[in-house]
Amino acid sequence: MKILVCISHVPDTTSKINFTEGDTKFDTNGVQFVINPNDEFGLTRAMWFKEKQGASVTVVNVGGPETEPTLRKALAIGADEAIRVNTEAIDGFAVAKQLAKVIEDGAYDLVIAGRESIDYNGGMVPGMIAGLTNANFVNNCISLEVEGTNVTATREIDGGKETVTTALPLVIGGQKGLVEESDLRIPNMRGIMMARKKPLQVLEPIATETETTSVKFEKPAPKGAVTLVAPDNLDELVNLLHNEAKVI
Amino acid sequence: MINSQNLEALNIIIRMKPDLFEAPDYYNLDELLTEEHRLVRDAAREWVKRDVSPIIEEYAQKAEFPTQIVKGLAEIGAFGPYIPVEYGGAGLDQISYGLIMQEIERGDSGVRSTASVQSSLVMYPIWKYGNEEQRNKYLPKLASGEWIGSFGLTEPDHGSNPGGMVTNFKDMGDHYLLNGAKMWISNAPFCNVAVVWAKNEEGRIHGLVVERGMEGFTTPETHNKWSLRASATGELIFDNVKVPKENLLPNKSGLGAPLGCLDSARFGIAWGAIGAAMDCYDTALRYSKERLQFGKPIGQFQLQQKKLAEMITEITKAQLLAWRLGVMRENGTATSAQISMAKRNNVDMALKIARDARQMLGGMGISGEYSIMRHMMNLESVVTYEGTHDIHLLITGLDVTGLNAFK
Ligand SMILES: Cc1cc2nc3c(=O)[nH]c(=O)nc-3n(C[C@H](O)[C@H](O)[C@H](O)COP(=O)(O)OP(=O)(O)OC[C@H]3O[C@@H](n4cnc5c(N)ncnc54)[C@H](O)[C@@H]3O)c2cc1C
């Protein structure tokens, strides 16, 4: 089985979020980048396929050279090879087209993407690449088993789960549940040493058009001060909720 | 009321407190590191968060070394990272070694001590002063953590002056007969092998590899330490121990041999201390923004800002010192005196930061809920071993004046 894991390079969840260039660009200054958590669950699941059933695992990222440490980490965790499509990931559809090209050229059987990346939370890429490559698609995937070309997958639905059967070639939008947090791997020294010799191929992008452009980012309004109301003063509470907070 | 049940509940709370550490990098020193340095460092950092932070307080309180982390230490490359791959090491450079020590000591100086001793004081002399058979016999097992080593230099009556040692061996024809005692030896109680420094009949210092199980060799534990409680310290006692001749390290002798090991270990400590300081600073900084007194976060008071501002300044200076020393050590130009300066400065810096940070947490600063007091007490050992604070000052003094103040 040939597996492709799509790896997004995202700010660590503890990063301070700021914008530059008139609130149109994310300020990367001083920000630590990590493997997108949803992708990391998928990468770990891919390692299990590799170790238990035999599979080759390629990781791919659409992005500039600054994303290579993230790919190198995935190699140190155990992926066999890495591909970076050398273009800035601005627009979901453009990214999906680049990935679709990589998927077609590499004839991957299983493409594991994250349900969404935690930076812009678009959540569009997995569905788009399934569409572009004519593959089956399971989103919000929390469990995945493959036998031959038969697939059993479980997806999270509002308040429950749904188990589906489908077949390869398949794209999933994965998340926690594929593996648990305690299953995630820290690269060990052997892995880091092996990663030195593994190929990290840089591909030039295909021509795409940017379909959407960010015009402005806004941060949530800062939290206001807390007003304390005595437990026996219900009228005051109702008054404040009604007239000041305007929520009732 | 504290009864055993409450204590257990408290332990669970301590264990479950998440490690929120965020490493300070005020001068963007990450830009001085390679991609691989950062990968190595971040892996060690993640491992410490996952496997050390949740348990270390409990082990320090119990005064017990957490043996379950030995395998993880080996996996992140803490045992001989710069030892060549053919002997089981990782073949990394000196800065990688320093960064690994920094991250481990960010968790606990005691755990870092185990890694330092194994790497610089046991694997290093076997690699540098041993022959090929000795390297092949010991290094892979030490790198994988299957064996733990200790380093016996200090004696009850010879600490700062190791050249005066009385531990000795006699050539008995087909073996050496070793007698004497070493004190304050990290890892001693559970080590599988010990690199022991002893004088021959001519009074020349040699290194011998003593293995657990050799008759007459015992390793009683030193109890009641208030410092490095999560590291096991003990004695190495040799009562007519027959050491096979092939266990003598053949390629270097004299006091310079153990001092060469200390250079390597002190280099690691200069980095390690930064880790302890970072953890104290990070904890105090976070606390100062959350703790309100007089209606304000305490971080808004000038006296607390002075502490924090000086801490980050000193950490940044120490980072630069360590990085530069790493470059020089890698290209083979770092002198012992330069290493002494970094060890002395950085450990002192960490100790002062630990004390200030402890005060910033008020009463909370003395509790095991935070790491600061543990770091503070640990650093009292770190400022003493591998050459005391005073001894390193005298080394610098000798280096700049050419005049020996030791004797
Ligand atoms: C937890 C722990 C772990 C250790 N692990 C190891 C280990 O694994 N292996 C090992 O071999 N050793 C180890 N040591 C021993 C350590 O290296 C010694 O404690 C240290 O070298 C100091 O020796 P000492 O304790 O005998 O103090 P002393 O040498 O007696 O020093 C006492 C004081 O006198 C000062 N002093 C001494 N000489 C002079 C001088 N000429 N001029 C001015 N001041 C002077 C010192 O600075 C110090 O303040 C460990 C120590 C500790 C506490």
Side-chain angles (χ1 to χ4, degrees):
Chain A
M1 181 165 51
K2 283 188 78 176
I3 304 177
L4 183 73
V5 183
C6 305
I7 301 271
S8 192
H9 166 86
V10 300
D12 192 2
T13 44
T14 57
S15 307
K16 290 176 191 62
I17 305 298
N18 288 307
F19 299 103
T20 56
E21 298 182 28
D23 285 344
T24 60
K25 276 219 157 89
F26 174 59
D27 182 1
T28 57
N29 201 11
V31 170
Q32 292 280 342
F33 282 85
V34 297
I35 299 179
N36 179 42
N38 286 319
D39 305 346
E40 202 177 350
F41 294 117
L43 175 65
T44 312
R45 183 66 188 91
M47 296 321 304
W48 291 3
F49 280 123
K50 178 177 158 166
E51 288 156 6
K52 291 179 188 152
Q53 298 175 229
S56 70
V57 178
T58 304
V59 289
V60 63
N61 169 265
V62 178
E66 71 283 357
T67 71
E68 282 187 12
T70 296
L71 288 174
R72 192 70 67 187
K73 179 175 177 187
L75 292 173
I77 286 173
D80 301 296
E81 54 177 22
I83 297 171
R84 178 171 69 81
V85 182
N86 187 26
T87 180
E88 209 183 333
I90 305 175
D91 161 88
F93 196 37
V95 169
K97 284 190 212 157
Q98 301 295 349
L99 290 172
K101 173 80 167 65
V102 171
I103 295 164
E104 270 160 9
D105 289 351
Y108 294 97
D109 306 299
L110 173 63
V111 177
I112 301 181
R115 174 183 80 165
E116 63 179 2
S117 60
I118 60 154
D119 46 4
Y120 299 99
N121 307 85
M124 294 183 293
V125 171
M128 285 175 172
I129 52 179
L132 289 168
T133 60
N134 270 324
N136 291 315
F137 179 51
V138 177
N139 206 5
N140 302 338
C141 185
I142 54 171
S143 143
L144 180 67
E145 297 301 333
V146 179
E147 256 170 64
T149 56
N150 298 327
V151 175
T152 309
T154 306
R155 43 188 301 270
E156 188 176 74
I157 53 178
D158 209 4
K161 294 178 191 178
E162 178 192 19
T163 300
V164 297
T165 56
T166 178
L168 299 179
L170 171 74
V171 175
I172 67 158
Q175 62 180 73
K176 177 168 141 66
L178 279 176
V179 303
E180 292 306 317
E181 251 134 27
S182 56
D183 299 317
L184 298 179
R185 295 180 179 188
I186 296 170
N188 59 30
M189 195 50 66
R190 185 189 304 259
I192 292 172
M193 283 156 58
M194 280 167 50
R196 283 180 188 166
K197 298 198 194 93
K198 290 178 179 174
L200 195 164
Q201 203 187 339
V202 179
L203 300 179
E204 283 315 311
I206 52 168
T208 56
E209 266 161 42
T210 304
E211 316 269 348
T212 51
T213 306
S214 304
V215 184
K216 190 174 182 206
F217 290 106
E218 284 172 68
K219 290 204 266 187
K223 265 194 261 168
V226 175
T227 311
L228 295 173
V229 181
D232 51 4
N233 198 350
L234 278 182
D235 290 346
E236 172 71 2
L237 180 63
V238 171
N239 174 34
L240 285 173
L241 288 173
H242 187 66
N243 293 320
E244 226 170 80
K246 298 191 175 25
V247 291
I248 55 171
Chain B
M1 202 185 74
I2 297 277
N3 56 33
S4 64
Q5 223 179 340
N6 286 349
L7 204 62
E8 186 48 28
L10 189 70
N11 275 338
I12 289 169
I13 294 168
I14 290 172
R15 249 178 272 147
M16 286 176 52
K17 211 162 84 51
D19 178 351
L20 301 171
F21 177 68
E22 285 173 52
D25 181 12
Y26 201 75
Y27 262 39
N28 295 336
L29 297 176
D30 265 17
E31 288 174 13
L32 296 175
L33 304 176
T34 64
E35 186 188 310
E36 190 170 90
H37 286 148
R38 293 197 293 260
L39 186 54
V40 166
R41 185 218 32 216
D42 292 350
R45 184 171 291 168
E46 271 186 68
W47 176 78
V48 167
K49 273 197 181 183
R50 191 190 68 188
D51 287 4
V52 179
S53 302
I55 56 128
I56 195 63
E57 181 61 31
E58 187 192 337
Y59 279 81
Q61 297 273 2
K62 290 196 292 197
E64 206 179 297
F65 175 74
T67 47
Q68 72 271 31
I69 66 171
V70 167
K71 190 164 164 278
L73 279 167
E75 278 174 3
I76 62 156
F79 297 149
Y82 52 74
I83 300 286
V85 179
E86 58 199 288
Y87 302 121
L92 294 174
D93 68 357
Q94 290 292 315
I95 290 183
S96 301
Y97 173 52
L99 288 166
I100 294 172
M101 295 302 119
Q102 170 187 295
E103 293 309 315
I104 298 175
E105 189 144 4
R106 208 279 298 170
D108 188 78
S109 306
V111 178
R112 199 270 304 135
S113 299
T114 289
S116 284
V117 169
Q118 184 91 339
S119 297
S120 287
L121 301 182
V122 181
M123 297 177 74
Y124 180 89
I126 293 173
W127 173 44
K128 286 282 180 184
Y129 314 146
N131 58 32
E132 204 53 26
E133 292 81 62
Q134 292 166 336
R135 290 182 194 133
N136 288 325
K137 177 174 180 191
Y138 298 109
L139 293 178
K141 286 201 167 78
L142 290 162
S144 69
E146 187 183 337
W147 280 357
I148 292 290
S150 70
F151 173 87
L153 181 65
T154 306
E155 298 185 354
D157 294 328
H158 300 91
S160 298
N161 175 27
M165 70 173 66
V166 294
T167 298
N168 64 87
F169 62 97
K170 286 199 175 69
D171 190 337
M172 308 300 281
D174 62 341
H175 65 270
Y176 297 119
L177 197 65
L178 178 66
N179 275 292
K182 299 288 178 179
M183 199 183 177
W184 295 117
I185 306 305
S186 305
N187 298 350
F190 55 78
C191 69
N192 305 85
V193 294
V195 170
V196 176
W197 301 94
K199 283 180 177 163
N200 67 9
E201 283 143 293
E202 288 79 52
R204 186 148 184 93
I205 295 170
H206 286 268
L208 298 153
V209 185
V210 179
E211 296 177 28
R212 184 170 295 282
M214 288 181 178
E215 218 182 308
F217 173 42
T218 50
T219 61
E221 182 157 1
T222 303
H223 293 289
N224 301 333
K225 290 180 300 170
W226 282 119
S227 175
L228 284 198
R229 287 169 64 84
S231 157
T233 313
E235 292 166 60
L236 303 173
I237 297 175
F238 315 103
D239 178 12
N240 285 319
V241 181
K242 285 184 186 170
V243 181
K245 284 203 149 167
E246 65 262 24
N247 284 28
L248 182 116
L249 301 176
N251 295 336
K252 188 155 181 170
S253 63
L255 191 58
L259 293 185
C261 306
L262 295 181
D263 273 353
S264 176
R266 289 166 179 171
F267 169 75
I269 294 170
W271 284 84
I274 297 171
M278 281 178 169
D279 197 47
C280 293
Y281 165 75
D282 179 62
T283 305
L285 177 63
R286 189 168 304 108
Y287 193 84
S288 76
K289 294 189 212 166
E290 288 165 2
R291 175 69 177 170
L292 305 179
Q293 286 297 290
F294 301 96
K296 290 181 184 171
I298 58 167
Q300 204 173 327
F301 297 115
Q302 288 183 358
L303 285 175
Q304 308 312 319
Q305 289 190 1
K306 175 175 189 288
K307 293 194 187 93
L308 291 166
E310 286 176 352
M311 284 181 202
I312 190 62
T313 308
E314 291 307 315
I315 288 172
T316 304
K317 283 152 69 180
Q319 285 174 316
L320 280 163
L321 204 61
W323 177 81
R324 176 66 193 146
L325 187 65
V327 172
M328 292 195 291
R329 205 152 155 81
E330 186 60 27
N331 64 29
T333 60
T335 65
S336 297
Q338 285 169 331
I339 297 171
S340 279
M341 180 185 280
K343 190 270 184 185
R344 180 175 185 275
N345 180 77
N346 289 10
V347 176
D348 187 52
M349 165 292 296
L351 194 50
K352 285 185 177 141
I353 286 178
R355 288 172 183 155
D356 274 349
R358 202 222 59 67
Q359 287 200 47
M360 287 188 65
L361 267 71
M364 274 301 167
I366 70 146
S367 100
E369 233 171 285
Y370 292 88
S371 56
I372 296 178
M373 183 104 177
R374 180 165 44 79
H375 283 306
M376 190 183 108
M377 298 200 302
N378 282 342
L379 288 163
E380 292 292 343
S381 289
V382 182
V383 79
T384 302
Y385 68 23
E386 302 270 350
T388 66
H389 190 64
D390 291 340
I391 292 296
H392 286 297
L393 178 127
L394 295 182
I395 292 172
T396 308
L398 168 62
D399 199 42
V400 296
T401 64
L403 305 171
N404 190 336
F406 284 98
K407 311 174 195 168

